[in-house]
Amino acid sequence: MTTEIPATVRIQKETILQGMNQQQQEAVETTEGPLLILAGAGSGKTSVMTRRIAYLLAQCSIQPWNILAITFTNKAAKEMNERVANLVGDAASDIWMSTFHSMCVKILRREAEHLGFENNFSILDPDDQMSAIKQCMLDLNYDMKKFDPFSVLWKISAAKNELIGPDDFKSRAGKSLLDSVAANVYREYQYKLNSINAFDFDDLIFKTVQLFEDQPDVLDAYQEKFQYIHVDEYQDTNRAQYKLVKLLAGKYRNLCVVGDSDQAIYRWRGADISNILNFERDYPEAKVILLEQNYRSTNTILQAANAVIQHNARRKDKNLWSAKGQGAPISLYAALDQTDEAAYIIAKVQEHVGSGGQFRDCTVLYRANAQSRAIEEAFLQAAIPYKILGGMTFYDRREIKDVMAYLKVTANPQDEISLLRIVNVPKRNIGIGTIKRLLDFAHENGINLLEAMGKAERADLGAKATEAVKKFHLLMTDLHWLQEGLSVTEFLQEMLRRTGYREMYETSPQEEERNRLENIDELLTVTRAFDKRRRGTLADFLAETSLLSDTDKETGKKDNAVHMMTMHASKGLEFPLTFVVGMEESIFPHARSMDSSEGIEEERNLCYVAITRAQEKLHLSYCTERTIFGQLQMNEPSRFLDELPEDLVERSGADFAVIPRWAIGLRVRHPQWGIGVIMEMTGEDDELELEITFQSKHGTKKVKPKLTKLRVIEN
DNA sequence: AGCGTGTACTTTTTT
DNA sequence: AGTACACGCT
C-alpha cells in the first residue's frame, strides 16, 4: 500500500454521471450543505453515494481523509469502498467507510485514555453482556427468578441508545420494581465494564458521544477531519447515533443522509423514525431529493409493495415505478402446514433449476429465525443445497467462543468475563469454589482476577488448588508476552498448543467433539485472511470479528445454494426469485407487535422490505396449521395479504371456501384443545353450535364453527 | 467434582 | 420439539 499523498483524482464529470437519472445526478452534484435523499427501495442509492464521493474527490478537490461514509453493515461499507475505488483508485483507502460501531471503535482506540480506558479494551458480545449482567445481579443479591436478567439487560441497552446514563436512569425510572432493579444493576454493570476495560455494543456509540460532549477539542478535531459526512439507512438511526452525527456535522454542515421511512424496521432497537422525518426541521437549509425510479423489480412487484405501504400513516408519500415492464404475477400459496409450505418451495425451486436457473437465484425470507428449521429439514431431505444466514452462526459455536475468549484475555488481561469462560476449559481442576475465593480475594485487594491468580498462594486456597491456579496464571502470562512478536495466526496456533485446547478435542472419544476441530481450522483461515489484509493487533482482530453482522459473515465464495434469512437480514439485498413464508397473523405481523399501531406499521414496513427484495418473481405463502413449541396453532392469513391488489396475485393451494359438513361423530381438531368428537349440534348457519368432547383434560366444550377454526380430521 | 437425568420454557427482528 | 438449567447421584 502506498503512503504517498495521492495525486489529485481527475475524472470527467460525464463519466461520473453516466447513466444516471435526473434526480440521481442532482444528488451527486449537491455537495455543499445538508442533503436529504429519500431513496425508495432499489432506487440506486448506493450508486448515488459512491458517485457522490467520487465527485467530491474528482470535481471538488476534496481530500479523501475529509470524507466519512457510514453504512448499516460492514459488507455494505466494503462494497461501497470497492465501488469508489473502481472510480477513483487508491484514494478510496483514505476514506472512512464503516458502520457506526466500527467507526466508534476506531475513534475510541485512539481516544480511550480520555475516558479512563486503555486502548486494548474488549468489546462484549451479547453473550458476554448476559454473563456480566448475571454476575452483577448475583453481587447485588437479586433473585434472578423474580427479575429476569434478559429484561434488565434490555432496559439498560434501551437506555444507552437514548443516551441515558445510570444516574439519569435512576431519577427517571422508579415506577416499576423492575425499573429500580435495572437502575441498580445498570450502575453496577457499568462499574464492572469499567473495571474490566470493556465496552458493550451500545457503549461504543454512547461513550463516543460522551467523549465529544465532554472534550470540545477532541470533537473539533473530528469535525475538522470529517468535513463531508454521509449516512446511509438514516431512518434506522437511534437517538445516540443521531446525536453523534449531529455533533460531527455541527461545524461544516455538509451532511448527506440517505433513507426511506418505509424501510424503518429497527424501532425495537431504539431507532427513531423522527430522525429522518424531522431532518428538514433540524437542518432548515436542507435540500431534499426523492428517488422513485426502481432499477430492481418488475412493476407487478412494485405495485404490490406500493399498495401495502399505502396503509401506513406516518410516512413520506412516494410511488415506486420501474422501466422493467409488468413481469410475472405474484404467487400466493395456501399451505396446509409447514411441511406442505416447504414442499411448495422445493417444487418451485426445482422448477426454476429445471428450466436452466440456479439455486443461488432463490431466497427464502421469514419473520423469525425459528421458522427456518422446517424448511431446512425439507431441503435436506430433497437434497436442495441451502445456506442459512444468521441464527446460530459460526461465531456462536462453543469452540469458537472459547478460542475467542482466550484471545480476548490475552489482548486484555482485565477481561474477567472471558477469563471465567476458559479458566477450566480444558479441565484444570479449578472449580467454582476456587474461583469464588479468588474473586473475593481480588475484590478485597483491588486487583483483577488474573492478578489475583498470580498471588494465589495468599488467597487461602488448598495446596492443590493453589498449584493449579498458579500454573494457569503462568500459562496466561506466557501467552500475553508471546503475542507481541506474532501474527494473529501464529499466536492462535501456539495458543491452541500450549493451552491444550486442541488436544482436548483431538483425543476426545466422541466424533462430534473431534469435528469441532474443523471449525477451529476454519477460524485459522479467517485469521490468515486478516493477517494478509492488514496485519493488525489481536484487539483489532477481535473488534473486527465481533462487529460483523450476519450478512457480513457470508463467505465470499459464491455457493450455488438457496439462501435463507430473516426479512431483517435481507435489507439492502436483492434476489431474482424470492419466497416470503409464514404470511399469517401472529407470525407476520408478529404477535408481539400487534398491540400498537406503531408496531403494526413497522411490521408493514418489514413486509414492504421483503416484497421489494424480489427482482423477477415473488412467492408468498401461509400455513393454515402450524406447530409451535409442540403445540398446534391455527392462524388467519396475514392482513398484509388483504392489502395486495387482487389482480396481481395468483392463488393456489388449499381451498377454504368450502365449508365442512359438520356431523355428529365427526372427528375434529381445535387450535387450542386439540382433537375431539362432535357429540351434539344446535342452531343453524352462523348460529350453529357444536358440542365437542375433547381428549383428556379439556373435557366437553361448546364451539361455534363460525368463530373458531375447526378442521375435520380425515379417516 | 463431574456426570446424568428431570423439568421448565421458548424471549421476533441485531450492531 | 428441543434446549438449557438445576438438582441429585456416584
Side-chain angles (χ1 to χ4, degrees):
Chain A
M1 201 181 292
T2 170
T3 50
E4 294 162 38
I5 296 170
T8 314
V9 182
R10 275 268 141 227
I11 310 168
Q12 295 292 313
K13 189 167 154 183
E14 291 70 35
T15 315
I16 296 175
L17 298 178
Q18 197 184 6
M20 305 198 95
N21 68 37
Q22 190 58 44
Q23 292 75 24
Q24 290 177 324
Q25 291 193 13
E26 205 183 337
V28 170
E29 291 180 296
T30 308
T31 58
E32 304 302 304
L35 172 64
L36 168 62
I37 303 176
L38 296 170
S43 60
K45 66 184 166 111
T46 310
S47 187
V48 168
M49 287 259 260
T50 53
R51 296 198 203 198
R52 191 174 188 275
I53 290 168
Y55 190 89
L56 282 166
L57 296 167
Q59 295 287 317
C60 313
S61 304
I62 306 301
Q63 298 298 347
W65 49 83
N66 290 137
I67 298 174
L68 171 68
I70 298 171
T71 57
F72 200 67
T73 63
N74 288 290
K75 193 180 166 206
K78 205 176 138 209
E79 251 173 49
M80 193 178 291
N81 201 280
E82 281 163 10
R83 285 172 69 169
V84 173
N86 273 338
L87 288 166
V88 303
D90 281 351
S93 61
D94 287 318
I95 305 169
W96 277 42
M97 285 194 231
S98 62
T99 61
F100 272 107
H101 296 267
S102 303
M103 172 183 79
C104 289
V105 169
K106 249 161 126 179
I107 294 173
L108 291 170
R109 286 257 188 254
R110 296 177 177 199
E111 318 293 342
E113 74 274 17
H114 287 293
L115 291 160
F117 283 75
E118 289 174 41
N119 65 0
N120 60 344
F121 57 79
S122 302
I123 299 165
L124 264 49
D125 69 22
D127 247 36
D128 300 333
Q129 283 187 62
M130 201 60 191
S131 328
I133 290 283
K134 283 179 179 166
Q135 277 180 43
C136 292
M137 291 183 73
L138 216 59
D139 290 347
L140 295 171
N141 272 321
Y142 283 125
D143 181 357
M144 286 192 263
K145 286 204 179 94
K146 246 161 113 188
F147 305 105
D148 175 18
F150 187 90
S151 312
V152 172
L153 175 57
W154 192 262
K155 278 183 183 291
I156 293 171
S157 169
K160 288 182 178 180
N161 288 331
E162 296 276 312
L163 297 171
I164 299 169
D167 295 335
D168 287 350
F169 189 94
K170 185 138 207 167
S171 54
R172 278 188 211 204
K175 300 180 296 280
S176 74
L177 200 53
L178 184 65
D179 275 353
S180 67
V181 172
N184 291 328
V185 178
Y186 188 3
R187 179 184 306 280
E188 182 76 9
Y189 174 75
Q190 283 315 109
Y191 180 78
K192 183 169 242 27
L193 260 53
N194 243 303
S195 72
I196 65 173
N197 193 30
F199 295 110
D200 65 20
F201 282 159
D202 305 312
D203 278 340
L204 294 174
I205 318 268
F206 188 14
K207 298 280 183 181
T208 308
V209 170
Q210 280 185 342
L211 169 75
F212 285 159
E213 282 182 326
D214 297 346
Q215 313 263 343
D217 48 323
V218 177
L219 172 61
D220 190 69
Y222 284 94
Q223 285 177 330
E224 281 298 330
K225 175 162 176 50
F226 300 128
Q227 294 175 15
Y228 291 84
I229 300 175
H230 304 77
V231 184
D232 195 9
E233 308 282 10
Y234 194 67
Q235 77 282 354
D236 283 325
T237 51
N238 60 36
R239 169 125 202 106
Q241 293 165 333
Y242 165 82
K243 184 77 190 177
L244 184 60
V245 170
K246 196 170 179 182
L247 286 166
L248 281 174
K251 192 164 186 178
Y252 285 89
R253 295 177 83 81
N254 295 320
L255 172 62
C256 167
V257 305
V258 187
D260 178 2
S261 56
D262 293 339
Q263 294 185 67
I265 54 174
Y266 287 102
R267 195 177 64 107
W268 51 273
R269 197 167 89 183
D272 186 355
I273 195 169
S274 322
N275 291 161
I276 193 163
L277 296 176
N278 294 338
F279 187 80
E280 293 159 83
R281 200 194 60 199
D282 291 337
Y283 302 89
E285 75 273 34
K287 182 162 181 174
V288 182
I289 293 173
L290 189 62
L291 303 179
E292 289 182 303
Q293 182 176 357
N294 172 293
Y295 295 89
R296 176 186 294 154
S297 313
T298 66
N299 275 308
T300 297
I301 290 162
L302 297 179
Q303 283 159 12
N306 285 332
V308 169
I309 205 67
Q310 287 296 320
H311 289 81
N312 275 357
R314 207 170 166 225
R315 63 186 290 264
K316 299 212 174 205
D317 194 42
K318 68 177 143 35
N319 213 32
L320 292 180
W321 62 278
S322 144
K324 269 193 159 184
Q326 202 57 35
I330 294 166
S331 294
L332 172 56
Y333 181 70
L336 296 170
D337 53 25
Q338 286 137 297
T339 319
D340 185 34
E341 189 176 47
Y344 172 78
I345 297 168
I346 288 169
K348 293 297 167 189
V349 167
Q350 281 170 339
E351 207 173 281
H352 174 75
V353 173
S355 60
Q358 298 289 329
F359 287 115
R360 73 167 75 92
D361 301 336
C362 312
T363 296
V364 182
L365 303 180
Y366 35 79
R367 178 63 242 264
N369 279 307
Q371 287 169 257
S372 67
R373 189 176 248 139
I375 299 157
E376 184 181 6
E377 277 166 15
F379 277 171
L380 227 40
Q381 285 235 320
I384 303 255
Y386 68 91
K387 188 161 183 181
I388 297 178
L389 273 97
M392 175 80 165
T393 63
F394 179 69
Y395 290 91
D396 294 329
R397 292 174 195 282
R398 192 174 75 209
E399 60 278 16
I400 299 302
K401 288 206 159 247
D402 287 344
V403 171
M404 296 295 271
Y406 272 107
L407 300 185
K408 284 188 189 179
V409 177
T410 308
N412 172 21
Q414 301 176 73
D415 188 342
E416 179 184 302
I417 300 189
S418 299
L419 183 58
L420 288 173
R421 182 184 179 98
I422 43 103
V423 60
N424 206 27
V425 184
K427 299 271 178 299
R428 298 189 176 92
N429 297 315
I430 302 174
I432 300 168
T434 308
I435 295 292
K436 279 211 173 103
R437 223 157 296 158
L438 282 166
L439 278 170
D440 287 342
F441 177 72
H443 203 239
E444 283 159 22
N445 293 279
I447 55 178
N448 67 50
L449 182 57
L450 194 61
E451 286 167 341
M453 288 175 167
K455 301 176 167 55
E457 66 279 359
R458 288 170 39 203
D460 196 25
L461 307 167
K464 259 172 81 180
T466 307
E467 198 195 338
V469 170
K470 291 290 279 187
K471 202 173 148 203
F472 175 70
H473 177 259
L474 193 64
L475 171 69
M476 294 313 292
T477 320
D478 280 352
L479 287 177
H480 186 70
W481 292 118
L482 194 66
Q483 67 167 321
E484 300 252 324
L486 300 183
S487 70
V488 177
T489 310
E490 289 163 340
F491 175 77
L492 179 53
Q493 303 264 34
E494 195 59 23
M495 188 274 308
L496 289 168
R497 198 179 62 78
R498 294 203 190 186
T499 57
Y501 194 83
R502 181 184 281 278
E503 193 191 352
M504 171 178 81
Y505 285 130
E506 272 170 353
T507 57
S508 167
Q510 291 168 45
E511 196 190 333
E512 195 190 325
E513 296 278 288
R514 288 197 303 278
N515 287 342
R516 291 179 189 274
L517 286 170
E518 288 173 22
N519 288 322
I520 292 175
D521 288 335
E522 184 63 34
L523 185 65
L524 278 161
T525 325
V526 177
T527 60
R528 274 188 207 104
F530 174 84
D531 286 330
K532 204 171 156 190
R533 189 168 65 250
R534 51 182 285 212
R535 181 116 205 161
T537 65
L538 214 44
D540 292 333
F541 173 72
L542 291 164
E544 196 175 290
T545 41
S546 62
L547 293 175
L548 290 182
S549 71
D550 288 330
T551 25
D552 295 331
K553 286 171 195 157
E554 200 194 357
T555 47
K557 50 184 177 231
K558 288 163 260 147
D559 287 340
N560 193 8
V562 179
H563 284 72
M564 301 166 59
M565 67 189 87
T566 62
M567 299 178 199
H568 282 88
S570 76
K571 187 156 89 155
L573 306 176
E574 57 185 23
F575 325 101
L577 187 54
T578 303
F579 296 87
V580 182
V581 304
M583 297 288 298
E584 300 143 54
E585 289 288 301
S586 91
I587 300 289
F588 186 42
H590 194 274
R592 293 183 67 141
S593 23
M594 292 206 311
D595 44 16
S596 73
S597 65
E598 291 95 335
I600 289 292
E601 293 214 345
E602 179 154 299
E603 295 284 303
R604 192 174 281 109
N605 283 350
L606 190 56
C607 185
Y608 176 79
V609 168
I611 291 174
T612 52
R613 295 314 95 193
Q615 293 172 293
E616 308 294 336
K617 174 77 186 179
L618 177 63
H619 288 276
L620 305 171
S621 57
Y622 63 92
C623 302
T624 49
E625 247 182 47
R626 160 183 305 272
T627 315
I628 291 180
F629 307 140
Q631 276 245 299
L632 191 74
Q633 239 185 49
M634 289 170 127
N635 300 314
E636 295 292 323
S638 170
R639 68 191 71 188
F640 303 139
L641 295 174
D642 301 332
E643 296 166 5
L644 295 170
E646 201 56 41
D647 58 318
L648 302 176
V649 180
E650 234 171 50
R651 291 172 179 266
S652 66
D655 184 0
F656 293 96
V658 182
I659 299 159
R661 287 184 304 278
W662 307 112
I664 289 173
L666 198 65
R667 297 213 314 149
V668 294
R669 181 145 54 190
H670 184 278
Q672 273 106 54
W673 302 322
I675 293 168
V677 178
I678 299 176
M679 308 304 284
E680 203 94 47
M681 293 169 62
T682 46
E684 286 192 358
D685 300 324
D686 285 3
E687 292 303 306
L688 180 68
E689 198 170 57
L690 308 175
E691 200 176 294
I692 303 171
T693 303
F694 290 98
Q695 291 172 334
S696 67
K697 54 185 186 263
H698 297 302
T700 301
K701 308 255 187 191
K702 286 189 174 172
V703 176
K704 280 189 176 175
K706 173 76 187 167
L707 304 174
T708 325
K709 209 151 196 182
L710 276 184
R711 259 171 71 86
V712 178
I713 298 176
E714 317 289 330
N715 69 52

